[in-house]
Amino acid sequence: MQALFGQLLVGLINGAFYAMLSLGLAVIFGLLNIINFTHGALYMLGAFCAWYILQSVHIGDFQLGYWSSLIIAPLVVGAFGVLIERTMLKRLYKLDHLYGLLLTFGLALVIQGVFRNEFGSSGLPYDIPPLLAGGFNLGFMFLPLYRGWVVVASLVVCLATWYVIERTKLGSYLRAGTENPALVQAFGINVPLMVTLTFAFGAALAALAGVMAAPIYQVSPMMGADIIIVVFAVVVIGGMGSIMGAIVTGFGLGIVEGLTKYFYPEASTTVIFVIMVIVLMIKPAGLFGKEH
Amino acid sequence: MAEGVRVASSGSAVAAPATAPLLGVRGLQAWYGESHILHGVDFDVGEGEVVTLLGRNGAGKTTTLKSIMGVVPRREGSVIFEGAETIRLASNRIARLGIAWCPEERGIFASLDVEENLMLPPRVREGGLTVAQIYELFPNLRERRRSQGTKLSGGEQQMLAIGRILRTGARLLLLDEPTEGLAPVIVQQIGRTIVKLREQGFTILLVEQNFHFAATVADRHYVMEHGRVVDMIPNAELDAAMPKLHRYLGV
Ligand SMILES: Nc1ncnc2c1ncn2[C@@H]1O[C@H](COP(=O)(O)OP(=O)(O)OP(=O)(O)O)[C@@H](O)[C@H]1O
Ligand SMILES: [Mg+2]
């Protein structure tokens, strides 16, 4: 029993990261029509930002740490996202999907390569913030406080994003822009700016996930490359462009993965890809995708 | 080329108009990639007028509206709105000047409900219709305001596409074939709406294939052929011009 709940929790944690990352990918794909292969690298950058802040950023005698990283890392990586969009992606919108994919793929390799040169490929430890150290005994299992925090915080972030996109005026611009950017712009909306900010938002979300992941998975140059493959499978299963789809599929597949680890560990690394194949055969647009 | 009927001529040899037209289009050219579609379009629309663009399929009417709105990939020439050159502005800047566009394909957003569609275009000026006034013009929209935009009937979608640009305060409306494919009662309702809007002082540039409909709402008609304006017919002279119009339109 202990072990089952333990694996369930691991699954939920992984699912939290899948959800935050696939959410950003879905939003970016919706508006920019670009499959953003830098997403894993941006997640890794978020974690490295947090690590750097913890190592060496002081204000006077005060050592900045985890909590300020939750704000600063998304801002820094979001700004980097602005740079990528304005200087590179912007030139590709008129071309085929494939160019955006190749550019972001290459960029991800460059970023990861630079970090591997600098930091090697072994992980750098990142301590759990003191406030969230320890845990509870729930009777049927031990819940480390930090893991509980990650699940709750990422759920809140995902649902808040869903709410803004699906239920607010700002979100209606984004939804409309996803369908017909030229018309939205002809109504007087600065769509190029909206595109830049959307990419920056997706980048910031990846960075936030990276900060939250640092105490769990350690900080390493390849952490993003490893997770992003699974996240792409999640996005394919959920269906590109569906916000709730990305969230539900992210958490759901994390849990499925965790359960597989308990019941049939040999399949735990492949189960998501098996599901992907099955979904592609039965519903090619994905579980929540709209058929065209 | 003909001046707007409301533009008084000074009587001198170089007829400088007493008031500039609201919209002045001169030598407008447009391209889609390699295809050169507009070859120098010239016309004027005076404040408060309803003016149509007539012409066969593919004459360039839609492309003319899109070029005014700034949504074609490449355009040249001059489009002057309220005295300001707009040819180099991005479409969002043009919209902000007070020009609103109702596209031929209507452009209702599937991921927005009716009210969200209605509220989407931002207000660019004072003096737009209120939502209550729009629902008064098109009562169907009120009943269906929580429906998905594209679940509406064709006629309702057209009402929504017109309704949502009335809120913005734009004074010049570009309407692209608002009656296309609609039942006669709906066509009549849209006709009455256009007349009402004209009474309220809106200026309307209307693309139409159906000149019987155009004759009931417009002050003047421009005829387009092969990417140029080739004639102007005041509505009062439409009957006399029928033979030539039939030739232009090939009907
Ligand atoms: N996106 C496009 N790419 C390439 N060519 C286009 C495009 N849109 C229109 N054209 C071409 O431009 C020409 C003018 O088209 P336009 O839509 O302006 O005509 P129209 O007068 O509005 O016709 P209709 O009455 O059928 O709506 C046509 O030959 C059309 O094939
Ligand atoms: Mg047309």
Side-chain angles (χ1 to χ4, degrees):
Chain A
M1 245 355 216
Q2 285 277 353
L4 173 62
F5 283 113
Q7 289 304 347
L8 251 175
L9 180 63
V10 169
L12 261 180
I13 293 280
N14 286 337
F17 293 116
Y18 298 161
M20 278 195 284
L21 291 173
S22 60
L23 182 59
L25 277 179
V27 173
I28 289 172
F29 178 78
L31 192 62
L32 284 74
N33 251 324
I34 276 182
I35 300 173
N36 180 31
F37 267 92
T38 61
H39 222 69
L42 296 170
Y43 162 84
M44 178 270 286
L45 285 179
F48 266 93
C49 255
W51 177 82
Y52 180 77
I53 288 167
L54 194 61
Q55 294 300 305
S56 37
V57 181
H58 308 260
I59 296 179
D61 281 342
F62 183 70
Q63 166 72 55
L64 293 188
Y66 179 80
W67 301 103
S68 41
S69 300
L70 285 177
I71 313 270
I72 298 171
L75 287 178
V76 170
V77 177
F80 182 59
V82 169
L83 190 76
I84 295 177
E85 199 279 332
R86 277 285 144 122
T87 59
M88 294 180 248
L89 293 180
K90 196 175 174 224
R91 303 162 193 276
L92 302 180
Y93 298 141
K94 292 199 176 89
L95 305 174
D96 194 89
H97 276 7
L98 198 58
Y99 291 89
L101 191 151
L102 286 174
L103 179 99
T104 55
F105 186 66
L107 202 58
L109 293 182
V110 170
I111 297 169
Q112 278 156 359
V114 167
F115 273 74
R116 200 159 45 177
N117 251 345
E118 204 58 35
F119 297 97
S121 40
S122 60
L124 306 163
Y126 188 103
D127 287 338
I128 289 175
L131 201 60
L132 296 176
F136 297 108
N137 198 336
L138 299 178
F140 55 91
M141 68 176 289
F142 180 76
L143 173 69
L145 195 54
Y146 186 76
R147 303 201 163 210
W149 149 256
V150 167
V151 173
V152 172
S154 71
L155 250 183
V156 168
V157 167
C158 287
L159 293 179
T161 305
W162 172 85
Y163 181 84
V164 170
I165 294 175
E166 297 293 340
R167 291 287 180 270
T168 67
K169 182 78 191 244
L170 184 69
S172 74
Y173 290 138
L174 188 80
R175 276 175 283 144
T178 296
E179 280 187 55
N180 189 343
L183 182 57
V184 173
Q185 188 166 1
F187 284 148
I189 311 283
N190 189 339
V191 171
L193 179 65
M194 188 165 96
V195 165
T196 305
L197 293 181
T198 299
F199 189 79
F201 171 76
L205 203 57
L208 181 66
V211 178
M212 295 194 346
I216 297 182
Y217 302 134
Q218 298 198 319
V219 178
S220 89
M222 297 316 284
M223 65 191 285
D226 296 339
I227 197 170
I228 206 66
I229 304 291
V230 183
V231 171
F232 276 119
V234 170
V235 170
V236 170
I237 294 169
M240 273 289 192
S242 161
I243 302 303
M244 200 37 115
I247 300 172
V248 171
T249 321
F251 277 98
L253 288 177
I255 292 170
V256 167
E257 209 180 29
L259 291 178
T260 314
K261 248 179 229 153
Y262 178 78
F263 288 109
Y264 190 58
E266 293 82 354
S268 66
T269 51
T270 46
V271 63
I272 288 186
F273 299 99
V274 172
I275 295 176
M276 179 179 89
V277 170
I278 296 172
V279 167
L280 279 179
M281 287 193 301
I282 297 170
K283 201 162 181 291
L287 295 179
F288 297 84
K290 294 170 197 97
E291 316 269 349
H292 288 288
Chain B
M1 191 53 49
E3 293 290 342
V5 280
R6 312 228 160 158
V7 176
S9 154
S10 67
S12 72
V14 221
T19 49
L22 185 67
L23 178 77
V25 176
R26 290 291 173 277
L28 181 62
Q29 304 193 55
W31 290 260
Y32 292 113
E34 294 292 303
S35 1
H36 191 175
I37 306 294
L38 300 185
H39 301 267
V41 172
D42 301 275
F43 67 94
D44 289 319
V45 181
E47 173 98 50
E49 272 194 298
V50 175
V51 169
T52 68
L53 291 178
L54 304 174
R56 295 186 200 207
N57 287 333
K61 307 179 296 291
T62 295
T63 307
T64 302
L65 294 196
K66 285 185 171 181
S67 305
I68 294 168
M69 209 61 237
V71 292
V72 291
R74 179 175 162 214
R75 66 197 199 282
E76 278 176 18
S78 166
V79 176
I80 294 185
F81 179 68
E82 292 187 324
E85 181 58 73
T86 66
I87 197 77
R88 261 170 256 303
L89 299 182
S91 62
N92 52 313
R93 303 274 311 281
I94 295 175
R96 297 272 170 187
L97 296 175
I99 306 181
W101 174 46
C102 175
E104 188 169 10
E105 64 283 358
R106 297 177 187 137
I108 301 303
F109 296 99
S111 52
L112 274 57
D113 69 21
V114 168
E115 193 147 287
E116 282 178 319
N117 266 287
L118 197 58
M119 303 304 283
L120 186 79
R123 280 182 192 279
V124 297
R125 283 199 186 180
E126 293 303 304
L129 269 57
T130 62
V131 173
Q133 286 171 317
I134 295 170
Y135 283 148
E136 212 171 293
L137 272 179
F138 303 119
N140 299 31
L141 296 184
R142 190 205 308 269
E143 282 160 33
R144 309 215 48 190
R145 65 184 180 279
R146 292 278 156 254
S147 309
Q148 186 187 343
T150 45
K151 289 272 160 69
L152 300 187
S153 70
E156 289 167 333
Q157 287 193 32
Q158 188 63 65
M159 293 172 197
L160 181 54
I162 297 175
R164 72 179 165 189
I165 61 173
L166 302 179
R167 252 189 71 252
T168 64
R171 300 310 292 167
L172 174 62
L173 310 180
L174 312 179
L175 308 182
D176 200 340
E177 301 206 34
T179 64
E180 192 182 9
L182 300 181
V185 279
I186 314 271
V187 173
Q188 280 167 20
Q189 188 183 357
I190 287 172
R192 283 196 300 274
T193 306
I194 292 175
V195 171
K196 252 187 236 170
L197 293 174
R198 181 177 184 276
E199 283 161 5
Q200 295 186 19
F202 282 96
T203 305
I204 297 175
L205 177 57
L206 175 71
V207 167
E208 260 302 335
Q209 294 262 9
N210 176 350
F211 64 82
H212 299 294
F213 173 79
T216 61
V217 296
D219 299 300
R220 292 185 299 125
H221 311 276
Y222 285 103
V223 181
M224 289 195 71
E225 251 177 15
H226 307 303
R228 289 190 181 79
V229 168
V230 294
D231 207 347
M232 192 281 285
I233 304 168
N235 200 47
E237 294 165 22
L238 198 62
D239 284 340
M242 256 331 150
K244 120 177 131 168
L245 201 54
H246 278 284
R247 206 167 57 245
Y248 284 135
L249 303 180
V251 285

